[in-house]
Amino acid sequence: MHRDIALTREWTPVCPLEHIVPDTGVCALLDGRQVAVFRVGDAAPRLFAIDNFDPNANAAVLSRGLVGSLGERIVVASPIYKQHFDLQTGECIEAPHNSVASYPVRVEDGHVWVGA
């Protein structure tokens, strides 16, 4: 990440990394907005954050979805209607018009932070 962008972005602490079980998500509240934060992998985890609200089901449930992959894409399947959301971009693969926002994530001193 370009250093100037990192300095101007607002970051919100979410939780210690160890509190997110590998290949699952947690829900965090960022400025009144629910965000689903996912930990993919164990030894060298990758972190992703997207909106928690599933517009297909009209419910805040994405953090409870199943993490997996479709080809090269790392996705979460919504627990209600099973649409897949790309964890990097927030794109809803089956219904792109119902895509969600994605957010940058970092780990600092063992804690997960999400950028606004």
Side-chain angles (χ1 to χ4, degrees):
M1 177 182 298
H2 189 271
R3 185 152 176 79
D4 293 335
I5 294 171
L7 292 176
T8 59
R9 182 178 307 279
E10 291 186 34
W11 292 90
T12 302
V14 174
C15 66
L17 177 61
E18 65 189 30
H19 288 185
I20 307 174
V21 175
D23 301 319
T24 68
V26 297
C27 183
L29 194 59
L30 274 66
D31 295 325
R33 181 178 204 123
Q34 288 188 30
V35 175
V37 181
F38 297 91
R39 175 181 177 173
V40 178
D42 191 10
R46 295 179 65 191
L47 298 169
F48 302 93
I50 61 173
D51 283 333
N52 191 46
F53 186 78
D54 177 356
N56 300 293
N58 201 29
V61 295
L62 292 179
S63 64
R64 294 176 174 212
L66 295 175
V67 175
S69 62
L70 291 175
E72 297 294 315
R73 298 172 99 169
I74 300 171
V75 298
V76 62
S78 175
I80 297 179
Y81 295 125
K82 310 303 184 230
Q83 281 92 356
H84 297 92
F85 291 84
D86 185 309
L87 290 182
Q88 231 167 308
T89 66
E91 180 185 4
C92 179
I93 295 169
E94 292 83 7
H97 59 281
N98 282 339
S99 296
V100 298
S102 63
Y103 304 90
V105 185
R106 71 180 188 200
V107 175
E108 188 174 298
D109 296 327
H111 283 75
V112 177
W113 294 72
V114 176

